[in-house]
Amino acid sequence: MLRVLSAAAIGLVFGTGIVIAGMANPAKVLNFFDVFGTWDPSLLLVMGSALVVTFIGYGFVLRRPAPLFDRKFHLPTKRDLDVPLIAGSALFGIGWGIAGFCPGGAIPALGSGEPSPLIFVAAMIGGILGANALKAAFTRRQALA
């Protein structure tokens, strides 16, 4: 139960930060990509600040033998670049550039009452389910070959 409450509190802090920084507003994000027009560098500042906080935070947290509400840290072990990683990254970037939303900004934006974050989140869930179905079908096909 503490893990769930902890995750909810962390999500609330993250979502609040996203909203305060204006990153739940797709126009602000799209203006970052419009380098020759209405360029807005604030996304760069938000991302840079997040990297600094994460770098410092991980330095403190990973000195502990384990997290407070789990038995071990769950850190990525895979370090190679493969097709799913590259393709997924490209799709993420293309979608972000088209819609102005990423999952971190779209979830808090659901509270705005606007239809665009709802459409984005529904499409994101559909994409996740579709990718999982394709991966399962590909894995089954390889097992039969």
Side-chain angles (χ1 to χ4, degrees), residues 4-144:
V4 172
L5 290 174
S6 173
I10 291 166
L12 182 63
V13 169
F14 177 79
T16 302
I18 289 289
V19 170
I20 290 171
M23 297 302 124
N25 178 359
K28 190 163 188 67
V29 173
L30 291 173
N31 283 338
F32 173 75
F33 293 118
D34 189 6
V35 179
F36 299 110
T38 57
W39 188 60
D40 180 356
S42 59
L43 176 61
L44 189 62
L45 297 173
V46 170
M47 291 172 69
S49 300
L51 283 172
V52 169
V53 169
T54 300
F55 181 77
I56 293 169
Y58 266 60
F60 286 112
V61 169
L62 293 179
R63 287 187 191 137
R64 301 178 51 82
L68 291 176
F69 304 122
D70 205 341
R71 293 183 180 164
K72 66 175 188 153
F73 288 106
H74 301 275
L75 300 172
T77 56
K78 193 174 174 185
R79 296 199 178 269
D80 56 325
L81 299 175
D82 57 7
V83 172
L85 176 65
I86 301 297
S89 300
L91 284 172
F92 176 88
I94 291 166
W96 196 24
I98 291 171
F101 281 121
C102 73
I107 303 291
L110 287 172
S112 71
E114 295 290 323
S116 56
L118 183 60
I119 293 166
F120 177 86
V121 170
M124 178 181 70
I125 292 169
I128 291 168
L129 294 174
N132 287 340
L134 281 172
K135 186 176 179 181
F138 184 72
T139 302
R140 281 192 305 272
R141 186 172 179 184
Q142 278 187 324
L144 294 174

